[in-house]
Amino acid sequence: MRTGRLQKQACQAAYCVLCHFVRKLGAGVEMRSRFWIGKKILVYGDNEKSPVNRLANTKLIRKIAVPKNIGRAMAMHCAQEYNNLAQILPELYEVYA
């Protein structure tokens, strides 16, 4: 399992938590990804309960800060990434498994 965050570089704030889960399946692997987009915004450098982070987590600020097309953009990114992995992983598996 791998976890991470997406962030807006301009303000150093994370607005998406993600988790990749990979499991062995037959002769290969299956990878599933889950995204929690806009549930919580975390401004780096401040603790979670700071006034800045409390303000960042109001409904209005989350609506402004999280891009409207992020769901579609993440779906496209995953489709491209998984297609790339499908191209390179079989050969890597042959060499290193």
Side-chain angles (χ1 to χ4, degrees):
M1 181 174 6
R2 182 171 187 270
T3 62
R5 289 190 173 136
L6 295 178
Q7 66 186 50
K8 280 191 159 182
Q9 293 296 326
C11 65
Q12 291 296 308
Y15 57 84
C16 179
V17 176
L18 65 104
C19 176
H20 295 304
F21 179 75
V22 181
R23 69 178 178 156
K24 192 170 186 162
L25 192 66
V29 297
E30 173 186 72
M31 183 164 127
R32 295 181 183 201
S33 300
R34 298 292 182 264
F35 301 89
W36 292 268
I37 300 171
K39 180 176 173 126
K40 181 189 252 184
I41 295 177
L42 180 62
V43 178
Y44 294 118
D46 284 319
N47 77 38
E48 207 170 306
K49 296 185 184 219
S50 74
V52 171
N53 277 315
R54 287 197 323 244
L55 177 63
N57 283 287
T58 61
K59 195 173 189 176
L60 175 64
I61 299 299
R62 283 198 309 262
K63 188 171 184 169
I64 293 169
V66 178
K68 291 188 185 333
N69 68 339
I70 191 68
R72 185 177 194 290
M74 290 306 302
M76 294 299 294
H77 166 79
C78 287
Q80 292 168 347
E81 182 177 21
Y82 297 164
N83 186 50
N84 292 338
L85 290 172
Q87 299 297 317
I88 65 170
L89 287 181
E91 183 179 340
L92 290 174
Y93 185 80
E94 283 292 320
V95 173
Y96 297 104

